[in-house]
Amino acid sequence: MTSEYSGTGDASTEKKEKPWLSIVGIGEDGLGGLGRNAIKAIEAAEVVFGGRRHLELAATAIRGEARRWPVPFDTDMGDVVALRGKRVCVLASGDPFFYGVGVTLLRRIDAGETVCYPSPSAFSLAAARLGWALQAVDCVSLHGRSIDLLRPYLHAGARIIALTSDAYAPALIAELLSDLGFGRSEFVLLEALGGERERRRQVRAADFSFEDIEPLNVVGIDVVAAEGARVLPFTCGLDDGLFEHDGQITKREIRAVTLSSLAPRRGELLWDIGAGSGSIGIEWMLSHPSVRAIAIEQHPERAERIARNAEAFGVPGLEVMIGAAPAAFEGLPQPDAIFIGGGGSEAGVLEGAMEALKPGGRLVANAVTLEMEAVLLAAHARLGGSMIRLDVSRVTAVGSMSGWRPAMPVTQWSWTKPW
């Protein structure tokens, strides 16, 4: 039995415009590593964009105008977009959609206007050389980014492939591993993968001393942790001792409950008001690479401490705003979630936070003082939400024996802004 669909608007039958932009991933083996269609796309282009190395690798196939990327790099891709309708080709390294320029291009250009011819990424080539299952490896791009981003991945038994920025990064990475207690990790330096100058060198991180390093390199790390190594657990409520602080820190048990109440979700932005040590914003950012946080702190020395903590936890992207709430809110991007840990009893802070919050966003506020508790009780009576009280006691010495010593109780109000 057969049937015929007679409706309209079937995407498979719509006439589509022919793509004008080709994106070609090219490796160190140049044109020899490309398929026929990729080479044809380069030959047919009126304009070919790429870095100096890319244009040199493809030079014999370029028939049109070769244009190097501007310095500094234009993330708006204005030069490419201006040529819409012409035959344009963009050359990229390896897989253009794995930490590549393809992602940047499609922020401005619809995918239907493009056709992509990827080559193996540096991560794929490295996994193949190392014999590591790519799906079981943590792939981290450090190209133009801080090496501190490696810190959350440093767990005993982990395997990491890191794409670096230059010839100096491998030594810095090896030094970081040694400083954090991972100096016995096997450290594999893979240079110029896929090209005639490809080279592999291997050493323990603590013994790294390689010189004459090719700027195009990838590092493979088989992580070995020494006793006392700085391992950042995956759960929230990290040990207080991992943070640099002056006593102004949301303690780990309270922090775990607070993060649970904040409930981070993909791509969301948190305001951490009265951030103290930055522990809430830091753990928020550790929950997923897509989330962001702004720490708002009026004391400059604490703000500096927050920035140091962010680096030490591998989330250097945490933004720190020095200023007093609510005046500091002005000009900040609208948050999906807000935590008030300090200064919430000051005039206008809670009201300003609630006004700034996106509809459907979550606000969590903690109180240890009677003044702040009174503010939260009044807000709960007026707006509803959830109110809990958290009491934590710890065993401490009582003379020659032990006993429970209670910490200051914390009142927590959680509220979701109506749509």
Side-chain angles (χ1 to χ4, degrees):
M1 180 178 179
T2 61
S3 62
E4 183 176 347
Y5 175 69
S6 59
T8 59
D10 183 355
S12 64
T13 63
E14 290 178 357
K15 183 178 179 181
K16 297 182 179 179
E17 295 293 330
K18 187 176 181 180
W20 59 273
L21 175 63
S22 299
I23 308 172
V24 175
I26 190 167
E28 284 298 287
D29 50 357
L31 297 175
L34 299 183
R36 181 172 58 185
N37 289 339
I39 294 175
K40 284 184 176 180
I42 299 172
E43 292 174 338
E46 298 171 74
V47 181
V48 179
F49 288 90
R52 178 185 58 79
R53 181 175 59 88
H54 299 139
L55 294 174
E56 289 175 354
L57 289 168
T60 58
I62 297 175
R63 305 284 185 263
E65 178 189 355
R67 289 195 195 178
R68 288 179 59 176
W69 293 122
V71 178
F73 186 72
D74 178 18
T75 55
D76 286 336
M77 293 292 171
D79 290 345
V80 177
V81 174
L83 296 174
R84 179 180 268 111
K86 292 184 176 290
R87 296 188 304 277
V88 180
C89 179
V90 168
L91 300 176
S93 297
D95 184 347
F97 286 93
F98 196 14
Y99 293 109
V101 73
V103 178
T104 306
L105 282 165
L106 264 64
R107 294 191 186 113
R108 294 292 312 279
I109 300 169
D110 187 86
E113 301 178 63
T114 70
V115 59
C116 181
Y117 304 98
S119 293
S121 69
F123 298 103
S124 294
L125 290 173
R129 301 296 190 269
L130 295 166
W132 293 355
L134 191 58
Q135 72 272 13
V137 171
D138 291 313
C139 296
V140 185
S141 176
L142 303 177
H143 187 73
R145 306 167 78 201
S146 170
I147 64 170
D148 288 316
L149 291 168
L150 281 173
R151 292 173 182 257
Y153 299 97
L154 296 176
H155 286 246
R159 284 177 166 175
I160 302 168
I161 296 176
L163 176 65
T164 77
S165 287
D166 50 42
Y168 306 102
L172 296 175
I173 294 170
E175 182 180 5
L176 178 68
L177 293 173
S178 299
D179 290 345
L180 297 178
F182 301 95
R184 292 189 290 133
S185 299
E186 287 299 322
F187 192 96
V188 187
L189 179 62
L190 300 165
E191 303 166 82
L193 283 170
E196 295 180 356
R197 296 173 290 107
E198 180 174 323
R199 178 167 58 174
R200 168 180 173 155
R201 291 183 278 179
Q202 185 168 342
V203 70
R204 286 190 174 184
D207 299 325
F208 185 92
S209 61
F210 298 143
E211 297 180 350
D212 187 29
I213 296 173
E214 165 65 42
L216 296 172
N217 67 78
V218 178
V219 170
I221 305 168
D222 201 343
V223 181
V224 178
E227 183 178 353
R230 185 182 170 88
V231 177
L232 301 178
F234 295 130
T235 186
C236 59
L238 299 176
D239 192 302
D240 296 344
L242 292 170
F243 294 87
E244 180 187 347
H245 64 89
D246 61 357
Q248 294 298 311
I249 182 172
T250 303
K251 300 298 192 292
R252 64 182 303 178
E253 298 86 358
I254 307 301
R255 194 181 330 122
V257 175
T258 300
L259 266 294
S260 175
S261 299
L262 286 167
R265 301 170 189 175
R266 183 180 184 87
E268 290 189 329
L269 170 66
L270 170 75
W271 285 5
D272 181 3
I273 301 172
S277 66
S279 62
I280 294 292
I282 286 168
E283 292 210 30
W284 168 279
M285 291 189 66
L286 285 172
S287 68
H288 194 269
S290 70
V291 300
R292 299 176 297 136
I294 300 175
I296 301 170
E297 174 55 56
Q298 64 177 320
H299 300 288
E301 67 278 9
R302 286 181 183 160
E304 293 175 1
R305 190 178 292 115
I306 292 169
R308 292 196 296 271
N309 276 329
E311 291 183 358
F313 281 85
V315 289
L318 175 68
E319 296 181 49
V320 183
M321 167 64 67
I322 302 177
F329 301 164
E330 186 175 353
L332 297 182
Q334 191 174 22
D336 302 278
I338 293 177
F339 172 64
I340 302 177
S345 60
E346 298 296 325
V349 173
L350 184 62
E351 294 77 7
M354 289 191 292
E355 182 179 351
L357 190 64
K358 287 182 181 178
R362 288 94 57 208
L363 186 148
V364 177
N366 289 354
V368 294
T369 66
L370 294 176
E371 289 78 7
M372 182 59 177
E373 186 175 83
V375 170
L376 299 186
L377 288 169
H380 180 257
R382 186 173 74 254
L383 300 168
S386 172
M387 182 79 81
I388 61 174
R389 195 173 197 195
L390 303 169
D391 292 275
V392 177
S393 297
R394 296 181 176 84
V395 173
T396 60
V398 181
S400 61
M401 299 185 183
S402 301
W404 293 105
R405 186 177 300 278
M408 293 182 68
V410 176
T411 300
Q412 183 177 100
W413 179 56
S414 302
W415 175 73
T416 300
K417 186 172 182 176
W419 289 91

